[in-house]
Amino acid sequence: MNTHRSDPAALVLMAFAVVVWGFSWVVMKYMMDWIGPFNLVFWRSLVAFCVLLVLQLSVGQRFEVPPLGPSLLVALLQTTLFQCLGQLALTMGGAGQVVLLAYTMPFRAAAMAWPVLGERLSRLHLASFILAAGGLVLVIAPWKGMGNVLALIPGLAAGLCWGGGVVASKKLFQERPPAMLNFITWQMLLGSLFCLPLLLFVPQRPTVWSVESIM
């Protein structure tokens, strides 16, 4: 593993992001009363793209194509599949349960980082994997019936895609680091484009535009 000292500011920002992400799952579950899961991901990505593009241009940064192959991979895994599978899981299970499944991401990322990035797992990591596996069994609760297990598969798949996206992002920033704001703006654009086939071919509940759904 990397032996360099971690930046305390980065750790604080990451902790803040985790809190915000955790609360956002409750909001997304609430939104299921007004909009289908894939429509919600599409509109979130499209609105975020518009806001980020305005911000990027306002600070004088050029909107230019980042390294395309890695950017497409990250957008597919992290921006699209993770979000879509997570939203689909929310239609089947509770927000707290889905969050726990999606947040198995660090363990998936650590496992994939070993062969891809050469970041070896320590004994502590391996012990954590064993504890996480036990906790995962308790969350899934297979003794309650296979229907309950099958309903949670999208949440598990979301965590896997998120982990893959994190590793792909790390590899990209190690080899050809793009401008961060430009990269994120492109992620939102690509994510909305990848959602279009789902909007066109997968049946969803009709979108109800209201003050509650917009706010």
Side-chain angles (χ1 to χ4, degrees):
M1 300 293 290
N2 193 339
T3 58
H4 293 295
R5 186 184 299 273
S6 299
D7 184 353
L11 295 177
V12 171
L13 289 173
M14 187 61 186
F16 176 74
V18 169
V19 172
V20 173
W21 286 339
F23 181 72
S24 71
W25 289 90
V26 178
V27 177
M28 290 188 291
K29 176 69 175 180
Y30 181 73
M31 290 291 293
M32 294 295 94
D33 291 336
W34 288 283
I35 190 170
F38 308 132
N39 282 322
L40 178 56
V41 174
F42 170 78
W43 284 109
R44 284 174 58 198
S45 298
L46 186 60
V47 170
F49 163 71
C50 295
V51 172
L52 288 170
L53 181 61
V54 170
L55 176 62
Q56 182 175 339
L57 296 177
S58 68
V59 297
Q61 288 193 20
R62 295 177 55 189
F63 181 62
E64 53 190 9
V65 180
L68 193 56
S71 297
L72 288 170
L73 179 60
V74 174
L76 179 63
L77 290 174
Q78 186 167 307
T79 312
T80 306
L81 288 178
F82 163 63
Q83 295 288 349
C84 288
L85 289 167
Q87 288 297 144
L88 183 61
L90 285 174
T91 66
M92 302 178 180
Q97 198 173 42
V98 173
V99 166
L100 289 174
L101 295 173
Y103 274 64
T104 58
M105 176 277 292
F107 302 98
R108 316 294 187 85
M112 287 183 278
W114 190 347
V116 176
L117 302 174
E119 298 181 355
R120 297 182 62 85
L121 297 175
S122 66
R123 292 181 180 179
L124 180 59
H125 290 125
L126 294 175
S128 300
F129 268 69
I130 295 173
L131 290 173
L136 187 59
V137 171
L138 294 176
V139 172
I140 295 175
W143 50 86
K144 292 184 178 179
M146 286 304 297
N148 181 67
V149 175
L150 294 176
L152 300 178
I153 288 177
L156 290 170
L160 179 62
C161 291
W162 189 7
V166 167
V167 173
S169 299
K170 178 69 177 291
K171 189 171 181 62
L172 169 62
F173 277 85
Q174 283 181 342
E175 296 177 349
R176 291 177 292 170
M180 181 64 72
L181 183 56
N182 183 66
F183 177 72
I184 297 174
T185 304
W186 270 94
Q187 285 297 297
M188 296 300 102
L189 175 60
L190 294 172
S192 60
L193 293 177
F194 280 142
C195 280
L196 285 177
L198 297 174
L199 270 61
L200 296 174
F201 300 112
V202 179
Q204 300 178 75
R205 66 169 300 150
T207 301
V208 178
W209 295 107
S210 64
V211 175
E212 291 87 354
S213 64
I214 296 174
M215 298 300 291

